[in-house]
Amino acid sequence: MAYLIPVVIILALIYNSIKVLMEYERGVIFFLGKFQQVKGPGVIIVIPVLQRMMRVNLQTITMDVPTQDVITRDNVSVKVNAVIFFRVVDPQRAMLAVQDYLYSTSQIAQTTLRSVLGQSQLDELLSKREEINVELQRIIDQQTEPWGVKVSVVEVKNVDLKRCCGPSRNRRKPSASAARR
Amino acid sequence: MAYLIPVVIILALIYNSIKVLMEYERGVIFFLGKFQQVKGPGVIIVIPVLQRMMRVNLQTITMDVPTQDVITRDNVSVKVNAVIFFRVVDPQRAMLAVQDYLYSTSQIAQTTLRSVLGQSQLDELLSKREEINVELQRIIDQQTEPWGVKVSVVEVKNVDLKRCCGPSRNRRKPSASAARR
Amino acid sequence: MAYLIPVVIILALIYNSIKVLMEYERGVIFFLGKFQQVKGPGVIIVIPVLQRMMRVNLQTITMDVPTQDVITRDNVSVKVNAVIFFRVVDPQRAMLAVQDYLYSTSQIAQTTLRSVLGQSQLDELLSKREEINVELQRIIDQQTEPWGVKVSVVEVKNVDLKRCCGPSRNRRKPSASAARR
């Protein structure tokens, strides 16, 4: 029965080298560390030891941009959150160019939300939603482009003018109006 | 079977001397302690005893700059945090010139955030975000340059004017409004 | 087999006398206790019994200066911390002139932080950050110079005016606002 042991080991190796990628997944294959190719969906063989595979999901990801405190150009303090739809279009760059493309995209979305809304008037923010969404999408997409991430839609969700604490609002008020004169 | 022992030792040595560097990694090779060269991605041989290798990641790193208490030039106390994107462009200097390039870059980012924002008016901080981000990026990049670290983007995230404690808020108040007139 | 023992001992001695210094390290060599020379990076021989070696790191070190309670010249109590960047430029003096150059540099930084800030007005501390940083760097560097330690940058980080305890805050109040008028 001793001759069975190598057979079992070989079978186990073969089993581990067979990977199934779903229709919406890609495998970035490295051959001895060097990028080799992106393999499509279906069954692929990854040679043990020599090759390594990183799995990338190409499905559109819906990510919540957490609530940001933004002060509009006309000095009104608002709480804004948004939702962003994006997907990986270039698995190679998503794996190679950046350490964590999900976290980085989320950070870019947060900072862009702040900066774009901080340059808008409150009126624009409320009435020109569409234009602001398009602007947000354009800027975020431009920054995530080197990472192979395509941002398809950004939508501002909740624009909240309510302030929790009365005194705090009153405090900012006079100076804001003073600065405007 | 005794003649097998040196063979096993030699095989183990060879196995340990083979290093696989991913596409986005570089190995800084030292020959008997002296810097020898930076080796690219793929398989490299590190001669045991004689050579040593340090692994450097070239991917873009997204790092959170923790919240800093800043007092603007017009004496308003704000809590500010930021996010910084950087990557190693010169593995040699990142390993040789500084003890821990991640920690040092983080510290430089924190202090620059304070000093640049401390020299700005609150109004500038809120309305001229873009210019402040560019200024931050320029100063931080200049300081990390000797370490082979390239800072690509710095983005101020949250500018928080709210104060937790009423009396403390009142204390800072008069001076702030006085300075603005 | 007995004649092998001295051979093994001699081999062990030779092995122990070979030291590898990394590119950014220097070895300070003492011959029978007397300073002999500083040896560069790479392989060096240290004669057992007769010679001794101390290893010095020349990389830039980023060190946190812990939070100090400082009372400014206009009697405002603040909590201040800082970060200091330095490196050894003269390994000989760093080893000979001072018992622990890291600890000593840290202590010098703390006391200088207190004394410089204690001689500043609160307004200067908040608005003239750059000048205070330069002043701190100059004084600390001057004091660490005999130890072969070069201080490149000192940056004040957090200047905290908040006080935990109400009575203490009220006590300090009048003087602060009086000084500002």
Side-chain angles (χ1 to χ4, degrees):
Chain A
M1 292 294 273
Y3 65 91
L4 267 182
I5 295 169
V7 170
V8 166
I9 290 174
I10 287 166
L11 283 177
L13 275 178
I14 290 173
Y15 179 78
N16 277 324
S17 68
I18 296 174
K19 308 274 180 190
V20 176
L21 293 169
M22 299 297 280
E23 183 70 33
Y24 49 80
E25 283 178 336
R26 294 295 177 275
V28 180
I29 310 287
F30 296 88
F31 185 84
L32 289 171
K34 276 195 182 164
F35 170 77
Q36 196 183 18
Q37 64 183 114
V38 175
K39 282 202 170 159
V43 176
I44 62 170
I45 308 286
V46 178
I47 306 158
V49 183
L50 295 183
Q51 287 186 323
R52 195 180 295 185
M53 189 190 77
M54 286 178 179
R55 207 178 276 262
V56 186
N57 194 321
L58 301 188
Q59 289 177 305
T60 296
I61 297 163
T62 308
M63 189 189 263
D64 226 63
V65 184
T67 303
Q68 307 287 316
D69 280 306
V70 180
I71 298 178
T72 61
R73 214 176 49 180
D74 46 347
N75 275 322
V76 184
S77 202
V78 288
K79 283 175 184 298
V80 178
N81 63 354
V83 66
I84 171 172
F85 298 80
F86 64 93
R87 66 199 163 83
V88 174
V89 287
D90 187 337
Q92 182 184 344
R93 277 188 287 168
M95 286 292 112
L96 298 184
V98 68
Q99 244 180 8
D100 181 344
Y101 70 89
L102 286 173
Y103 177 70
S104 299
T105 302
S106 162
Q107 291 295 325
I108 283 283
Q110 286 177 39
T111 56
T112 307
L113 189 65
R114 289 176 171 289
S115 75
V116 168
L117 266 45
Q119 285 159 28
S120 312
Q121 307 268 357
L122 179 61
D123 276 351
E124 288 168 19
L125 181 51
L126 298 173
S127 60
K128 298 189 182 171
R129 280 274 180 110
E130 281 314 295
E131 280 127 79
I132 283 171
N133 288 340
V134 169
E135 176 81 356
L136 282 168
Q137 183 272 331
R138 194 184 59 77
I139 295 175
I140 298 171
D141 189 41
Q142 192 178 316
Q143 289 192 75
T144 60
E145 200 272 326
W147 309 334
V149 171
K150 173 72 194 166
V151 177
S152 48
V153 180
V154 182
E155 294 267 4
V156 173
K157 281 164 70 182
N158 204 355
V159 178
D160 195 356
L161 290 150
K162 277 176 294 187
R163 300 289 300 231
C164 56
C165 25
S168 146
R169 192 198 308 140
N170 294 341
R171 189 192 66 197
R172 297 291 317 144
K173 250 315 174 25
S175 62
S177 46
R180 208 172 292 136
R181 267 167 226 146
Chain B
M1 292 293 274
Y3 65 91
L4 267 182
I5 295 170
V7 170
V8 166
I9 291 174
I10 287 166
L11 283 177
L13 275 178
I14 290 174
Y15 179 77
N16 276 324
S17 68
I18 296 174
K19 307 274 180 189
V20 176
L21 293 169
M22 297 299 278
E23 184 73 33
Y24 48 78
E25 284 178 336
R26 295 295 177 276
V28 180
I29 310 287
F30 296 88
F31 185 84
L32 288 171
K34 277 194 181 165
F35 170 77
Q36 197 182 16
Q37 65 182 114
V38 175
K39 282 201 170 159
V43 176
I44 62 170
I45 308 286
V46 177
I47 305 159
V49 183
L50 295 183
Q51 287 186 324
R52 195 180 295 185
M53 189 190 76
M54 286 178 180
R55 207 178 275 263
V56 186
N57 193 322
L58 302 188
Q59 289 176 306
T60 296
I61 296 164
T62 308
M63 189 189 263
D64 228 62
V65 183
T67 303
Q68 307 287 316
D69 280 305
V70 179
I71 297 177
T72 61
R73 215 175 49 180
D74 46 348
N75 274 321
V76 184
S77 203
V78 289
K79 283 175 184 297
V80 179
N81 64 352
V83 66
I84 171 171
F85 297 81
F86 65 93
R87 66 199 162 83
V88 174
V89 287
D90 187 337
Q92 182 184 344
R93 278 188 286 168
M95 286 292 113
L96 297 184
V98 68
Q99 243 180 9
D100 181 343
Y101 70 90
L102 286 173
Y103 178 69
S104 299
T105 302
S106 162
Q107 291 295 324
I108 283 283
Q110 286 177 39
T111 56
T112 307
L113 190 64
R114 288 175 171 290
S115 74
V116 167
L117 265 45
Q119 284 159 28
S120 313
Q121 307 268 357
L122 178 63
D123 275 351
E124 287 168 19
L125 180 52
L126 299 173
S127 59
K128 298 190 181 170
R129 279 275 180 109
E130 283 312 296
E131 281 126 79
I132 283 171
N133 287 340
V134 169
E135 176 81 356
L136 282 168
Q137 184 272 331
R138 194 184 59 76
I139 295 176
I140 298 170
D141 189 41
Q142 192 177 316
Q143 290 192 74
T144 60
E145 200 271 326
W147 309 334
V149 171
K150 172 73 195 164
V151 176
S152 48
V153 180
V154 182
E155 295 264 5
V156 173
K157 281 168 70 181
N158 204 355
V159 178
D160 196 356
L161 290 149
K162 279 176 295 189
R163 301 288 300 231
C164 56
C165 25
S168 144
R169 192 197 307 141
N170 294 340
R171 191 191 64 198
R172 301 288 318 145
K173 230 359 205 334
S175 62
S177 46
R180 207 171 283 135
R181 264 167 227 145
Chain C
M1 291 293 274
Y3 66 90
L4 266 181
I5 295 170
V7 170
V8 166
I9 291 174
I10 287 167
L11 283 179
L13 275 178
I14 291 175
Y15 179 78
N16 276 325
S17 68
I18 296 175
K19 307 275 180 188
V20 176
L21 293 169
M22 298 298 278
E23 183 72 33
Y24 48 79
E25 285 178 335
R26 295 295 177 276
V28 181
I29 309 288
F30 297 88
F31 185 85
L32 289 172
K34 279 194 180 166
F35 170 76
Q36 197 182 16
Q37 66 182 114
V38 175
K39 283 202 170 160
V43 175
I44 62 170
I45 307 287
V46 178
I47 306 159
V49 184
L50 296 183
Q51 287 187 323
R52 196 179 294 185
M53 189 191 78
M54 286 177 179
R55 207 178 275 262
V56 186
N57 193 322
L58 302 188
Q59 289 176 305
T60 296
I61 296 163
T62 308
M63 189 189 264
D64 229 62
V65 183
T67 303
Q68 307 287 316
D69 279 305
V70 180
I71 297 179
T72 61
R73 216 176 48 181
D74 46 347
N75 276 321
V76 184
S77 204
V78 289
K79 283 175 185 295
V80 179
N81 65 352
V83 65
I84 171 171
F85 297 81
F86 65 93
R87 66 199 162 83
V88 174
V89 287
D90 187 337
Q92 183 184 343
R93 279 188 285 168
M95 285 292 113
L96 298 184
V98 67
Q99 240 181 10
D100 181 343
Y101 70 89
L102 286 172
Y103 178 70
S104 301
T105 302
S106 164
Q107 291 297 322
I108 283 283
Q110 286 177 40
T111 55
T112 307
L113 190 65
R114 288 174 171 290
S115 74
V116 167
L117 266 46
Q119 284 159 29
S120 313
Q121 306 267 357
L122 179 62
D123 274 350
E124 288 168 19
L125 179 52
L126 298 175
S127 59
K128 298 191 181 169
R129 279 274 179 109
E130 282 311 295
E131 282 125 79
I132 284 172
N133 287 341
V134 168
E135 176 80 357
L136 282 168
Q137 183 272 330
R138 195 183 59 75
I139 295 176
I140 298 171
D141 189 40
Q142 194 177 315
Q143 290 191 74
T144 60
E145 200 271 327
W147 308 335
V149 171
K150 172 72 195 165
V151 177
S152 49
V153 181
V154 181
E155 295 264 6
V156 173
K157 281 168 71 180
N158 204 355
V159 178
D160 196 356
L161 290 149
K162 278 176 296 189
R163 299 291 299 230
C164 57
C165 23
S168 144
R169 192 197 306 140
N170 294 341
R171 191 191 63 201
R172 306 289 320 147
K173 223 20 210 316
S175 62
S177 47
R180 208 172 283 133
R181 263 167 227 144

